[in-house]
């Protein structure tokens, strides 16, 4: 049975809600940006792979050693996966992350002359790169429309009411594309991360000091109960 399409008035209301959420979060977090440290696009590719099930803060510490030892795509591509794993092990899942990083860097070296491709399809074809990573690169590196549906984005969008009980990242991304201006997507997702960490955390959101409380479906329902 095909999924039910949202009625036009529902979509209009969600667009209006999205614009107000964007406005308020801009005021609350004027400096939106990625919390992973990087100087080059390939470094962000590496860091976002390491960030799976690991904090950005820990990744930023670990990659200092990694990038010091392997300061270019060619240098990292020339390293054996075991050598990479020995450095990135503190990020967890060291074996699979090292394998993906090695394969990704070798593909960049052999197919793209050590450059990161700038199309979504080519990014997705790189080892270890999923939609989240590809969108992050598209938005932060190339300044193109992007929506990064990480756990913060998914949690906040469901609580606020921008999406309705949708948990799959790709489905959330698809729903958000319909209501968020393309030029706002990347920065909004960074602000979702900031707000999710500072206020709207997973276990005990601090609705009493949230700038979105009067708009948020979760906050309203909690207050009523």
């Amino acid at each position: 049975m095909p999924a039910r399409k949202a009625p036009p008035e529902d979509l209009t209301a969600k667009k209006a809600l999205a614009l107000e959420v964007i406005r308020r979060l801009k005021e609350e977090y004027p400096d939106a940006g990625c919390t992973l440290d990087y100087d080059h696009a390939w470094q962000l590719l590496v860091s976002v792979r390491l960030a799976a099930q690991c904090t950005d803060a820990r990744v930023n510490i670990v990659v200092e050693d990694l990038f010091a030892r392997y300061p270019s795509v060619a240098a990292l591509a020339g390293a054996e996966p075991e050598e990479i794993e020995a450095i990135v092990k503190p990020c967890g899942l060291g074996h699979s992350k090292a394998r993906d990083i090695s394969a990704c860097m070798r593909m960049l070296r052999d197919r793209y002359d050590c450059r990161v491709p700038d199309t979504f399809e080519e990014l997705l074809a790189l080892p270890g790169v999923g939609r989240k990573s590809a969108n992050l690169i598209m938005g932060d590196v190339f300044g193109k429309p992007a929506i990064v549906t990480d756990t913060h984005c998914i949690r906040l969008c469901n609580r606020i009411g921008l999406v309705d009980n949708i948990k799959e990242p790709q489905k959330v991304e698809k729903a958000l594309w319909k209501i968020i201006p393309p030029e706002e997507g990347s920065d909004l997702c960074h602000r979702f991360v900031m707000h999710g960490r500072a206020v709207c955390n997973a276990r005990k959101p601090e609705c009493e000091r949230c700038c979105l409380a009067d708009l948020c479906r979760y906050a309203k329902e909690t207050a009523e109960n």
Side-chain angles (χ1 to χ4, degrees):
M1 187 174 180
R4 182 182 67 85
K5 291 184 178 180
E9 64 272 15
D10 186 44
L11 207 56
T12 299
K14 287 187 185 301
K15 286 181 179 179
L17 175 61
L19 289 177
E20 183 60 16
V21 168
I22 290 168
R23 185 189 70 80
R24 294 192 189 187
L25 289 182
K26 278 184 177 180
E27 289 185 356
E28 194 77 8
Y29 310 97
D31 299 320
C34 182
T35 51
L36 291 168
D37 297 335
Y38 67 98
D39 294 317
H40 306 285
W42 69 270
Q43 293 176 333
L44 183 55
L45 266 180
V46 171
S47 290
V48 74
R49 180 65 187 95
L50 292 176
Q53 300 183 41
C54 182
T55 66
D56 289 359
R58 179 177 291 275
V59 171
N60 288 336
I61 293 172
V62 169
V63 295
E64 285 186 17
D65 290 340
L66 184 68
F67 297 154
R69 185 172 301 184
Y70 306 107
S72 66
V73 170
L76 192 51
E80 292 300 321
E82 294 78 13
E83 296 174 311
I84 299 172
E85 182 179 354
I87 299 174
V88 305
K89 190 175 181 179
C91 293
L93 304 175
H95 183 73
S96 60
K97 289 179 179 180
R99 180 194 60 211
D100 287 343
I101 289 168
S102 175
C104 182
M105 294 301 109
R106 290 176 182 183
M107 184 177 287
L108 292 184
R109 178 194 63 192
D110 298 341
R111 189 173 300 181
Y112 295 104
D113 193 28
C114 293
R115 298 180 181 275
V116 176
D118 62 357
T119 70
F120 194 74
E121 291 72 23
E122 287 177 304
L123 286 169
L124 279 181
L126 296 173
V129 176
R131 296 186 69 86
K132 173 186 171 183
S133 303
N135 270 303
L136 186 65
I137 297 293
M138 291 295 285
D140 280 40
V141 174
F142 299 116
K144 297 183 179 181
I147 292 177
V148 180
T149 50
D150 70 348
T151 55
H152 294 288
C153 175
I154 294 170
R155 183 175 72 253
L156 268 65
C157 286
N158 276 281
R159 283 179 174 173
I160 294 166
L162 293 174
V163 301
D164 300 312
N165 197 31
I166 305 175
K167 300 299 173 64
E168 298 88 341
Q170 189 169 347
K171 290 183 179 180
V172 173
E173 180 189 334
K174 183 178 179 181
L176 292 180
W177 278 121
K178 296 177 182 178
I179 62 173
I180 293 175
E183 68 277 9
E184 298 285 359
S186 181
D187 284 350
L188 176 61
C189 291
H190 285 316
R191 291 186 172 104
F192 278 150
V193 172
M194 294 174 180
H195 195 60
R197 288 173 177 167
V199 178
C200 192
N201 56 72
R203 294 186 178 181
K204 192 176 181 182
E206 299 180 52
C207 300
E208 67 280 358
R209 66 183 190 93
C210 177
C211 63
L212 304 174
D214 61 309
L215 303 174
C216 177
R217 180 168 56 193
Y218 176 90
K220 292 176 183 177
E221 291 174 353
T222 301
E224 290 173 359
N225 295 332

